[in-house]
Amino acid sequence: MTPDLLARLEQARAAGRPVVLATRLPSGEQILLPGDGDASAGLATAAEAALQADRSQTVEADGAQWFLHAYNPPLRLVVVGAVHIAQALVPMAAGLGYGVMVADPRRAFATDERFPGVTVSTDWPDEAMDALRPDSRTAIVTLTHDPKLDDPALDRALRSRAFYVGALGSRKTHAARLGRLRELGHGDAALARIRGPVGLDIGAVTAPEIALSILAQIVAVRRGAALVG
Amino acid sequence: MTEAEDVLGTAAAWSKAGEQVAIATVTETWGSSPRPPGSQMAVTASGRMAGSVSGGCIEGAVADAAKRTMETGAPQLLDFGVTNERAWEVGLACGGKLKVFVERLG
């Protein structure tokens, strides 16, 4: 890889811009897509498909073999509630490669000391969600236990294409929550997107164990694992 | 992306620090290969290593090939698997097959 190409690839990644590094095999000639104008239409289309599917693969284009390395920006995790479980969840999610954001208007919870180096929003959760613009590569977890904070976040989450929406709370709490969200106009299909009680049932007790159960569920949903009910 | 998975970022940092670096990338797999296409390993001439292209079965052989690529500058497309004679040398216990592209960085 030439220094110029590496610099352009690193630049795209730093800017969160999805790109494909296309390598002709076995000669090793490389271009960056989209951007480099000399790519054929077939190769450009295949690169776009690789980004869409988030899958790197070798394809046949213009009678040659090309390896398409898809570099999508990191998946995101939005945590609503700067609570104890969030303190365990945030570093674990970062370790899995997620870009993590925390939203909690309660400034006693949302402090830099409790969440060093993390993007923390103290806006009201619906405003925080509007600013963060969750997309199909975003997971959202609400942890506050407080309907006036969780509900507006979940309302926005259900209006987004987030691939995972989870809400902490017991079955009873969850049933009541669904009733309130129904009054906000959400139907059965939307409500069924919420994983509640949140996390895989691994008998988690401590904050790190609950964080692990939540992340295991997020990974399972993301990867389409069979254990997801 | 974390350091554990951002092999390219690690390799770029090594390169900036003056190291000679080669990158190996899984380009294709068949059967039960443990790491998907796009998985990477970086190697330096000084012997540093990051990432992986298998479950540990072929990293030694890939590192050797990377040393040659660092010396010559010529990229290589390596084949590993049961149909390849090299399989008897380095072995893929899982029975999978894969191709690995090795290139010099910078």
Side-chain angles (χ1 to χ4, degrees):
Chain A
M1 194 185 309
T2 63
D4 167 63
L5 193 67
L6 176 63
R8 288 195 291 135
L9 177 55
E10 290 286 272
Q11 224 166 40
R13 295 175 66 206
R17 194 155 45 81
V19 287
V20 167
L21 175 66
T23 304
R24 192 184 179 128
L25 299 177
S27 64
E29 167 196 342
Q30 291 175 320
I31 54 173
L32 207 57
L33 297 168
D36 287 351
D38 46 354
S40 73
L43 194 56
T45 307
E48 211 177 292
L51 284 176
Q52 209 60 49
D54 199 18
R55 209 172 66 212
S56 301
Q57 56 185 330
T58 299
V59 301
E60 192 96 17
D62 315 325
Q65 296 248 302
W66 289 85
F67 177 62
L68 304 179
H69 199 157
Y71 286 96
N72 270 310
L75 297 166
R76 292 191 297 165
L77 172 64
V78 179
V79 180
V80 178
V83 297
H84 185 200
I85 292 169
Q87 285 180 279
L89 183 60
V90 166
M92 287 170 75
L96 289 177
Y98 283 78
V100 188
M101 278 137 267
V102 176
D104 197 325
R106 300 168 300 178
R107 286 169 198 271
F109 288 90
T111 65
D112 288 343
E113 190 190 17
R114 286 164 57 82
F115 296 92
V118 180
T119 308
V120 178
S121 166
T122 51
D123 291 341
W124 208 257
D126 49 356
E127 288 165 14
M129 297 287 272
D130 288 345
L132 291 170
R133 302 164 57 121
D135 57 17
S136 61
R137 293 177 55 80
T138 308
I140 299 163
V141 180
T142 61
L143 299 176
T144 73
H145 268 140
D146 181 344
K148 74 177 180 299
L149 295 174
D150 281 352
D151 286 5
L154 289 168
D155 173 52
R156 290 301 198 272
L158 293 182
R159 294 175 200 279
S160 78
R161 296 182 58 217
F163 75 87
Y164 176 96
V165 182
L168 186 73
S170 66
R171 278 172 216 290
K172 200 173 145 200
T173 306
H174 191 58
R177 171 186 295 136
L178 293 182
R180 292 190 307 273
L181 289 169
R182 201 179 295 278
E183 281 171 24
L184 290 177
H186 296 290
D188 288 342
L191 296 176
R193 287 174 61 197
I194 307 177
R195 313 254 164 197
V198 75
L200 294 185
D201 187 4
I202 56 171
V205 174
T206 65
E209 287 174 0
I210 294 166
L212 178 66
S213 83
I214 293 170
L215 285 171
Q217 190 173 47
I218 292 175
V219 171
V221 168
R222 168 79 184 141
R223 300 295 187 190
L227 56 85
V228 176
Chain B
M1 207 181 286
T2 58
E3 207 176 311
E5 278 296 314
D6 186 14
V7 177
L8 185 71
T10 303
W14 284 345
S15 179
K16 276 187 199 101
E19 295 257 31
Q20 177 77 257
V21 188
I23 289 199
T25 308
V26 177
T27 61
E28 215 168 347
T29 66
W30 297 263
S32 52
S33 298
R35 307 245 31 220
S39 303
Q40 290 187 312
M41 177 171 101
V43 185
T44 68
S46 62
R48 293 163 99 176
M49 246 174 29
S52 65
V53 289
S54 76
C57 328
I58 60 165
E59 272 72 6
V62 170
D64 286 344
K67 279 201 178 104
R68 284 197 300 280
T69 284
M70 279 186 269
E71 283 161 18
T72 64
Q76 301 173 64
L77 186 60
L78 310 174
D79 266 295
F80 293 97
V82 288
T83 59
N84 189 304
E85 278 177 24
R86 285 196 70 92
W88 301 109
E89 295 166 36
V90 296
L92 267 183
C94 51
K97 276 171 51 177
L98 73 160
K99 284 190 180 186
V100 178
F101 182 71
V102 183
E103 64 188 307
R104 191 162 76 178
L105 195 66

